[in-house]
Structure formats: structure tokens, C-alpha cells
Amino acid sequence: MSKTYNIAVIGGDGTGPEVAREAIKVLEAAAVKHNFKLALTDHDFGGERYLSTGEILPDSASDEMRKYDAILLGAIGHPDVKPGILEKGILLRLRFELDQYINLRPVKLFPGVDTPIKDKGPEEIDYVVVRENTGGLYTGIGGFTMKGTEQEVASQSMVYTHHQVARCLKYAFDYTRRRKKNNTLGLVGKTNVLTYAYDLWERVFNDMGAKDYPEIQRDYYHVDACCMWMVKNPEWFDVLVTGNMFGDIITDLGAMTQGGMGIAAGGNINPNGVSMFEPIGGSAPKYTGQNVINPLAAICAGAMMLDTLGEEAAAKDIETAVADITANKIKSLAAGRMGYSTTEVGDLIASHF
Ligand code: IPM
Ligand code: MG
């Protein structure tokens, strides 16, 4: 009997549902070929639901999500809702409550895709960022005193426990071993200024590496220099690992070097629980309903989901299909300039199966 995966789908806001729909189309085609089944359940979390009910995320949401094998997310962010409410109340809350402590973000330039970096191609831009996803500055520890006065003090702390750092680094080392590219893991930090938080990262990195992963080469980059090398010498990188805030920032830079938000996908991963996969780009409200947005990032997020579920061959097939489309069909990754509609891009990829 073929295996059935129970997937929660959160289309979300703006163009989120449109790109999620194309990802599902492709996943369904991959399932037929690779002999597994998908049982999909839609969830209406997002701005519209909040505006009509006043509820951001039901308290039962995380328990409900825990019943699934994985979650596919379109996008969160609504123009009529103050920035931060939905992002914190839905996206970050799910990441935290489901303990998705890894944010896995491949920076991969597909063939035929324009990169703003001169003289670099798919050979040079192909690495993965492992971003710690539940700690650091995102923990929300801090506060105001004397708010609104000239004496106001605002603080927000970068807090890391040994446990959080160690589990993230372990994942990154294991991932580097599995990836089998250059066997190189680079820690991205700021040990010259953040002499507590990144000192902890560096010590655990070196101890764990020397003891358990002697075959993996360890590199270290300050985050500012890393940004420089991501533009100048991206071919140096295999896997990079870093804390939450730095990871957030450098992965937007990475996304631009791989052709932009239309293609950048990520996975919020709990290696022992339920993971959630999403295109990194936002909800692009101005394109909502026009069938012009690029669904490739969502489709790649779907491939990452299959890979994590253990359907590696199906995931590879999707990647191959995406590479064929970027190399031979699609004119640009930009919304409205692809030469195809959102639906047609989904059809093209699905027709590979
Ligand atoms: C991301 C986003 C989120 C983050 C926002 C929307 C809360 O920028 O997924 O990178 O900061 O993690
Ligand atoms: Mg971000």
C-alpha cells in the first residue's frame, strides 16, 4: 500500500493561496509518479480571518498542526493589518510553539536565472544557510522603562542557551555531512563585538566539530564580512550556520543573489516534530488574484517538504523540472514578466511528471 502524508495547507494572505495552489498541483503530480498519497487540509489562518473574527490564531492551532506530517504555507501579511500582528501572531507563533528550531534556506541559482552578481552562475551560487529559528533576538526578552519620555530605555536581548546552540549546530553538521558537497560548515557570528552570545556559539561549534565531525572543515565569518563574501565569492560556501537575526538578514541577501523572492524557499524544521515549508517572499498584495505571481518559490518549498518527509527522489524530480523551466521556458522570475501565468508555470512543472 502506498504511503499517505497528511499535510496542512495554510494559503494565508495576498498571493499566498495562488502560489500554494500551484505547489499542490506539482506535489500531486509527483505523488502519482512516486506512488505516495497526499491528504490535504486547508486552514484559513491569515489577515482575512483576523479582520472578520478578531482572532489571530486559535489557541488550539498548534495542537491541531501537530497532527500533520508537515505544513505548507503560502504567505502571511495583509495590507489592512498593522505590520507585525500577523507575522508575530501566526508565523512566529507557529515556529515557536511547534519548536521549529531550524530555518533551512538554500541559496541556489537555477540555470537561466539572472543574478545581480556579475560573472557568477549556478556553479558558484549553491549553498545552504541553516538559521537558528526560535532563539536569539526573536525571543522577545526586553522591554521599555519610562516609555514616551526622553529618559526612555528600550532593550531587546540576544539570548541563547547552550541547548539551543548545540541542537542547531548538530543539525548543521549533520546536514553538511548529508549534503556531501565540500564538507565545509561556516559559522557566521560577530565574536569581535557580541562577545558572550557568539562566544558560546563558537565554543560549541569547535568542540562539537572536533569531537563528532572531524572530517568536516570548519570556517568562521563575522556576519558583516560574510555579506561581503556572499556577493564577492559565493562559491566559497557549502553550508553556513548562524543565529536567528543574522540568519534573517543574510538570507534576504542570499535570496537576491539567487534571482529574488520568486524562487527563494525555506523550511521551518523541527527534526523531531512537524515542519512548515514556505516561499520566503511575502504576500505581494498588489498582485492578488491576477494570476501573475511566480509560484516557483512555493513549488521549491514543496520539494523541500518532500525531501524532509523522506521522498527524496520526488523532491529531486521537482528540482529538475524547475531547472528545466528556468533554463528553457520562463523569461523572467518577476511577477507579470514570466511570459506565463501563475497557473501555466504550475502546469509546466506538473507536466514533467
Ligand atoms: C522571514 C521573515 C520573518 C522573520 C518575519 C515576517 C517575521 O522576515 O521569514 O525571514 O523575521 O523571520
Ligand atoms: Mg526575513
Side-chain angles (χ1 to χ4, degrees):
M1 237 188 63
S2 69
K3 208 163 173 179
T4 301
Y5 298 104
N6 291 306
I7 308 294
V9 180
I10 306 173
D13 299 317
T15 53
E18 292 170 56
V19 297
R21 189 188 61 216
E22 298 315 309
I24 288 164
K25 184 190 284 175
V26 171
L27 290 168
E28 299 272 23
V32 172
K33 176 171 168 201
H34 289 273
N35 196 31
F36 60 86
K37 291 201 170 63
L38 297 167
L40 304 161
T41 311
D42 273 315
H43 292 269
D44 64 351
F45 309 142
E48 291 300 331
R49 180 180 200 276
Y50 170 59
L51 290 170
S52 62
T53 68
E55 186 176 57
I56 303 174
L57 194 69
D59 284 336
S60 57
S62 294
D63 281 338
E64 167 76 16
M65 291 298 126
R66 279 193 195 94
K67 295 185 198 144
Y68 294 96
D69 296 307
I71 306 164
L72 185 70
L73 175 77
I76 296 292
H78 193 290
D80 301 336
V81 182
K82 213 173 121 220
I85 294 186
L86 301 171
E87 292 87 335
K88 275 182 124 168
I90 300 177
L91 186 62
L92 295 185
R93 191 168 162 202
L94 286 174
R95 286 178 183 172
F96 277 59
E97 289 187 359
L98 298 172
D99 203 17
Q100 295 164 339
Y101 62 87
I102 298 295
N103 196 326
L104 192 66
R105 295 189 160 179
V107 180
K108 179 180 168 68
L109 182 66
F110 279 94
V113 173
D114 274 340
T115 171
I117 305 188
K118 199 164 145 269
D119 300 332
K120 302 288 178 192
E123 283 284 297
E124 285 83 20
I125 303 176
D126 181 14
Y127 56 96
V128 178
V129 178
V130 176
R131 165 188 175 189
E132 199 287 326
N133 208 31
T134 56
L137 280 166
Y138 278 65
T139 318
I141 293 178
F144 303 107
T145 43
M146 292 176 283
K147 190 172 179 188
T149 73
E150 286 188 3
Q151 286 74 41
E152 176 169 348
V153 180
S155 68
Q156 194 117 25
S157 304
M158 181 182 284
V159 178
Y160 268 116
T161 64
H162 183 283
H163 169 74
Q164 286 174 317
V165 170
R167 68 182 184 171
C168 175
L169 288 170
K170 179 176 185 318
Y171 182 91
F173 276 116
D174 286 337
Y175 187 86
T176 308
R177 192 177 260 172
R178 270 205 314 278
R179 190 167 193 251
K180 288 199 182 69
K181 198 187 172 203
N182 301 335
N183 259 337
T184 303
L185 178 63
L187 172 66
V188 180
K190 188 74 188 175
T191 52
N192 52 348
V193 176
L194 304 178
T195 48
Y196 307 122
Y198 277 98
D199 186 82
L200 173 63
W201 275 88
E202 195 177 39
R203 274 182 284 123
V204 181
F205 179 65
N206 285 325
D207 292 350
M208 186 183 285
K211 184 166 164 281
D212 300 330
Y213 304 90
E215 83 284 12
I216 292 177
Q217 183 188 317
R218 295 189 301 275
D219 288 339
Y220 172 80
Y221 305 96
H222 291 321
V223 63
D224 46 351
C226 179
C227 291
M228 193 166 81
W229 303 127
M230 283 170 74
V231 173
K232 195 167 177 297
N233 293 101
E235 67 278 7
W236 287 354
F237 303 137
D238 176 2
V239 182
L240 295 174
V241 61
T242 189
N244 208 343
M245 187 79 259
F246 292 166
D248 177 46
I249 298 167
I250 69 170
T251 53
D252 267 25
L253 174 59
M256 282 305 124
T257 67
Q258 70 179 117
M261 291 302 183
I263 192 90
N268 302 280
I269 293 177
N270 176 343
N272 312 306
V274 183
S275 300
M276 176 166 75
F277 299 84
E278 53 171 337
I280 300 184
S283 56
K286 70 175 179 187
Y287 296 117
T288 307
Q290 295 179 29
N291 203 22
V292 295
I293 196 83
N294 179 353
L296 288 177
I299 290 169
C300 289
M304 290 182 77
M305 181 175 89
L306 291 185
D307 191 62
T308 308
L309 289 170
E311 297 292 339
E312 289 95 350
K316 262 249 128 357
D317 270 3
I318 296 179
E319 273 210 8
T320 308
V322 171
D324 178 51
I325 297 309
T326 57
N328 303 312
K329 296 262 162 54
I330 203 167
K331 287 203 209 80
S332 153
L333 296 184
R337 279 186 276 147
M338 299 187 291
Y340 297 91
S341 67
T342 308
T343 326
E344 285 168 342
V345 173
D347 290 342
L348 282 172
I349 307 273
S351 69
H352 265 258
F353 288 92

